[in-house]
Amino acid sequence: MDTTHIADAPPPTPQPSATEQKRAARGATRPGDRIFLGLSRGSGILLLVIMAAIAGFLTYRAALAISKDEGNFLTTFEWNTSATPPVFGIAVLAYGTIVSSIIAMVIAVPIAVSIALFLTHYAPRRLSGPIAYVIDLLAAVPSIVYGLWGALILVPHLNGLNGWLNDYLGWTGIFEWQGGAARSMLTVGILLAIMILPIITNVSREVFRQVPQIHEEAALALGATRWEVIRMAVLPFGRSGVISASMLGLGRALGETMAVATVLSPDFLIHTSLLDPGGGTFAQNIASKFSEATEFGRDALIASGLVLFVITLLVNGAARAIIARRKEYSGANA
Amino acid sequence: MSTAPSLAGKRPSTLRGASLPKWAPWAIGAASIALGFGISTAAGLASDIQWALIAALLYVIGTYVISAWIENRRQAKDRVVTSMVWVAFLLAVVPLASLVWSTVQRGIKVLDGYFLTHSMGVVADSEPGGGIYHAILGTLEQVGLATLIAAPIGVLTAIYLVEYGRGSLARAVTFFVDVMTGIPSIVAGLFILSIMLMFEMEPFGFAGSLALAILMMPVVVRSTEEMLKLVPNELREASLALGVPKWRTIMKVVLPTSLGGIITGIMLSIARIAGETAPVLLLVFGSKFINSNPFDGAQASLPLYIYQQYGSGEAPAYDRAWAASLTLIAFVMILNMVARGIARWKAPKTGR
């Protein structure tokens, strides 16, 4: 594609090998090219600058807040930024964020993987397209609508489940229920599971589609049933893809704000029972506390947001790194 | 699972073992529903979920037992997994159906011309009446401005990655675009907020646009990149062979070829950010009044309106929240469908 190839020795490959020398030559000959390259490269650099700026600004404001924090930022069970001296910590938020995300993953991953298998291996061909579309619709619903639905429809409907869990599993302590509206971590987890289902399904489906046909045919030729094909050919091939899909879903669950803020009735305690209303997550705490916060209070919220940012960055980075090892998943090279 | 010799002709001399007829799953299903219903009526169970659960359990057990008896255990396991996969799919449909149904059913109550063309200016949360005009206006302005910022940057970045990008800068951009896709929306909001705190600014619409643009950029880059990769190299080479400069090749050959897909991607990302609440909550703050200037003063926005109406806890406000949800879902769905329509209509001929 490099125009200078024409003047050069006969081009050995159609793909240009953009060494610095050739890039310089191209820039020198074509002012239009130079401007265009500058613009597009500038946009790319701008994205990197934005990422760096996010980290920088958040860290700066967070440092302002944490330096005045009288409690330990990591272990304090309190969020009192307007007190003098201010005391706040993220222990409860970290606990709530992790617990609700784990519940969401436990529910969503098996179902999402099943649906992905359903779409690639079980559903009738004609149905598979429309069903994939329905799953995409789940992804398109705005999170605030999930929140409204969760708070007004899902919460009252979960009383039955809560009672059942309390009757049969209450003795574990994790599923003890004192009655009252189900504005608990379990409800949040269920809602988050519904919300992250589409992304896990979509990525897993892409991976399952990539399974070499010949593996499946070999298994079938040996007399394997459909389930045996999946267990022996599809799942081993797709394992890393499913893991990274789950981590993408996890990243989304960790940062979800509005659905949690509408459903949860927050407090600053760690509840052993998942059915107790209370607790909080990073994102929910920011949304709920923001409107009453003073400038210092906002800095404190930014500090908790920084922790969330770092966590999601790590989770997403890991997921992407796993995917990047298998470039063929991108779908564009099909 | 093809139609095997009928059961009546026991042990036919084929290589296949006996297998269940095609109608067997339906028959077992019907039987277990009837049985489940019967059991729960007899036991006086009230909830619909309970008999459905009993029926589902009976179906799985019944399938396994019958299949293991007539076919073999491996086939039985296969059939059980098949039914579980179907159940998983149905499980995912239930919340979606419930969500759409309740939004339509409750939203339609107050959604009319008046609701769409009036603001909440003189209406208390506890009273009926009022509307979402101010919120629609705010959302359209904020999302429009965000698109104006994010779409060019996103498309240019994608062009860089596909047409120019080699080496470590391109690799870094690719990686961070991926990571950026996963930034929680509230963090993008906090980022702009921290800048605003530094300059002691009051909330205004454009600040929300900036945060939304950050959320939108990586999505646009991703989708545009995929589309540009679909453009056949032969087209580029033909153009370059005629001596057309590279930038004109991109503008006149590559972009027009992939335009449909790029527009689809941009529309899908608009649909995604139109429903974002958290950054708007932090940066635009919400307002009951019509404010058409996104550069000055707090503005309303549709998702934020839903949140605030829900938060007021009054019955008429709930009705308004549902109606606003219906409007928002309709907006997002229409964008989605139009985008997919364009994608199908304009799909590059080589694509699939």
Side-chain angles (χ1 to χ4, degrees):
Chain A
M1 274 172 287
D2 196 327
T3 49
T4 52
H5 273 316
I6 298 161
D8 285 354
T13 53
Q15 287 286 335
S17 59
T19 59
E20 285 306 315
Q21 185 193 356
K22 277 177 188 162
R23 203 177 280 168
R26 180 173 53 206
T29 49
R30 310 266 195 196
D33 270 344
R34 206 185 320 150
I35 295 168
F36 199 77
L37 174 62
L39 273 179
S40 59
R41 189 192 282 158
S43 306
I45 293 173
L46 182 66
L47 281 179
L48 296 182
V49 169
I50 289 175
M51 283 299 286
I54 293 177
F57 275 92
L58 291 186
T59 313
Y60 171 66
R61 298 305 300 197
L64 288 184
I66 295 175
S67 63
K68 292 189 191 126
D69 186 4
E70 278 302 304
N72 184 323
F73 180 63
L74 294 178
T75 55
T76 307
F77 281 46
E78 206 176 334
W79 195 272
N80 204 345
T81 50
S82 47
T84 40
V87 180
F88 59 93
I90 57 168
V92 174
L93 304 178
Y95 172 81
T97 305
I98 292 169
V99 166
S100 60
S101 303
I102 289 177
I103 297 172
M105 299 295 286
V106 167
I107 299 171
V109 170
I111 294 182
V113 172
S114 303
I115 295 175
L117 286 174
F118 176 76
L119 289 174
T120 52
H121 289 82
Y122 284 93
R125 265 297 140 72
R126 270 175 298 119
L127 273 182
S128 162
I131 292 170
Y133 182 68
V134 169
I135 300 292
D136 282 345
L137 285 189
L138 266 177
V141 175
S143 64
I144 181 67
V145 179
Y146 275 114
L148 187 71
W149 175 79
L152 297 180
I153 309 280
L154 185 65
V155 163
H157 276 85
L158 283 180
N159 281 342
L161 176 72
N162 279 359
W164 187 86
L165 284 174
N166 185 44
D167 287 349
Y168 294 95
L169 296 168
W171 51 270
T172 56
I174 305 174
F175 293 110
E176 234 175 325
W177 188 44
Q178 262 94 38
R183 297 179 170 279
S184 60
M185 277 297 159
L186 182 70
T187 312
V188 169
I190 292 173
L191 192 59
L192 289 178
I194 298 171
M195 297 178 68
I196 63 175
L197 200 65
I199 185 172
I200 306 181
T201 305
N202 283 342
V203 179
S204 306
R205 188 186 55 183
E206 282 306 306
V207 178
F208 293 151
R209 283 231 177 101
Q210 310 283 338
V211 177
Q213 194 80 36
I214 203 152
H215 288 190
E216 293 182 38
E217 283 166 4
L220 283 171
L222 291 173
T225 62
R226 193 149 41 166
W227 163 238
E228 285 162 348
V229 172
I230 288 171
R231 194 165 51 86
M232 295 187 297
V234 179
L235 289 182
F237 180 88
R239 187 176 299 133
S240 69
V242 170
I243 291 173
S244 60
S246 312
M247 288 171 82
L248 290 180
L250 176 63
R252 195 147 300 178
L254 290 169
E256 178 47 49
T257 313
M258 301 323 287
V260 186
T262 47
V263 166
L264 199 67
S265 70
D267 61 17
F268 250 79
L269 294 169
I270 286 181
H271 299 266
T272 47
S273 171
L274 299 178
L275 304 184
D276 272 345
T281 72
F282 285 115
Q284 169 272 328
N285 186 54
I286 296 168
S288 319
K289 292 258 169 41
F290 178 78
S291 50
E292 287 110 47
T294 58
E295 182 169 338
F296 178 76
R298 294 181 178 185
D299 281 344
L301 293 175
I302 289 174
S304 71
L306 177 66
V307 180
L308 177 64
F309 176 64
V310 172
I311 295 174
T312 49
L313 213 60
L314 292 177
V315 170
N316 279 302
R320 294 295 178 181
I322 297 173
I323 293 184
R325 255 191 276 152
R326 317 183 75 150
K327 271 281 185 233
E328 66 268 31
Y329 294 157
S330 76
N333 314 333
Chain B
M1 261 143 293
S2 60
T3 43
S6 68
L7 285 174
K10 287 265 179 194
R11 300 259 171 270
S13 60
T14 58
L15 287 173
R16 302 180 65 93
S19 76
L20 289 174
K22 261 195 165 167
W23 47 262
W26 300 101
I28 300 173
S32 43
I33 287 177
L35 214 60
F37 201 65
I39 290 177
S40 55
T41 322
L45 299 176
S47 166
D48 284 348
I49 299 170
Q50 281 165 325
W51 75 257
L53 279 177
I54 294 174
L57 208 64
L58 281 174
Y59 177 76
V60 170
I61 296 172
T63 309
Y64 187 81
V65 170
I66 293 175
S67 173
W69 177 43
I70 294 179
E71 297 173 332
N72 54 46
R73 307 231 347 212
R74 288 171 50 221
Q75 291 293 345
K77 205 182 266 177
D78 183 50
R79 282 177 187 277
V80 167
V81 173
T82 306
S83 53
M84 300 223 288
V85 165
W86 272 93
V87 167
F89 163 66
L90 292 177
L91 266 181
V93 173
V94 169
L96 181 66
S98 159
L99 187 139
V100 171
W101 167 246
S102 46
T103 310
V104 171
Q105 184 206 12
R106 294 171 188 225
I108 211 83
K109 264 194 279 182
V110 289
L111 183 61
D112 52 22
Y114 182 88
F115 186 72
L116 291 176
T117 51
H118 287 75
S119 76
M120 292 294 291
V122 290
V123 186
D125 284 339
S126 54
E127 302 168 5
I132 53 172
Y133 176 73
H134 59 313
I136 294 178
L137 190 71
T139 291
L140 288 181
E141 286 182 353
Q142 289 149 26
V143 169
L145 286 170
T147 311
L148 283 184
I149 301 168
I153 295 179
V155 171
L156 277 171
T157 306
I159 289 175
Y160 172 70
L161 290 177
V162 176
E163 306 290 334
Y164 296 100
R166 309 279 181 277
S168 54
L169 177 64
R171 243 175 293 131
V173 172
T174 308
F175 181 76
F176 277 105
V177 164
D178 279 339
V179 171
M180 217 171 155
T181 321
I183 292 185
S185 57
I186 193 135
V187 170
L190 287 175
F191 165 54
I192 303 294
L193 177 72
S194 63
I195 297 176
M196 284 169 70
L197 283 176
M198 221 160 276
F199 295 102
E200 299 187 345
M201 285 187 279
E202 293 297 309
F204 61 111
F206 185 65
S209 304
L210 287 174
L212 294 178
I214 292 177
L215 296 172
M216 191 174 172
M217 275 176 214
V219 186
V220 175
V221 175
R222 257 294 138 263
S223 59
T224 307
E225 216 186 328
E226 307 278 285
M227 287 306 133
L228 292 179
K229 281 181 188 163
L230 286 179
V231 176
N233 254 341
E234 288 80 356
L235 286 184
R236 298 189 180 94
E237 284 159 8
S239 167
L240 292 170
L242 292 172
V244 180
K246 180 157 183 164
W247 70 278
R248 280 186 67 90
T249 303
I250 295 171
M251 294 298 285
K252 298 282 179 183
V253 176
V254 177
L255 283 184
T257 312
S258 52
L259 192 64
I262 294 175
I263 291 175
T264 302
I266 293 175
M267 288 178 75
L268 287 177
S269 62
I270 293 176
R272 185 188 151 190
I273 61 164
E276 284 295 352
T277 319
V280 183
L281 172 70
L282 302 187
L283 304 171
V284 187
F285 214 70
S287 156
K288 296 182 86 174
F289 302 98
I290 299 171
N291 174 10
S292 57
N293 183 359
F295 296 97
D296 185 34
Q299 262 192 319
S301 122
L302 211 42
L304 186 56
Y305 176 89
I306 300 171
Y307 181 58
Q308 288 170 339
Q309 289 296 314
Y310 164 76
S312 74
E314 309 275 356
Y318 282 169
D319 284 343
R320 281 192 291 266
W322 283 113
S325 297
L326 183 57
T327 319
L328 185 59
I329 287 191
F331 177 65
V332 170
M333 294 291 162
I334 289 171
L335 263 180
N336 253 296
M337 278 172 200
V338 173
R340 275 158 215 275
I342 291 177
R344 193 160 297 180
W345 172 49
K346 278 276 195 178
K349 303 293 175 283
T350 55
R352 43 199 77 182

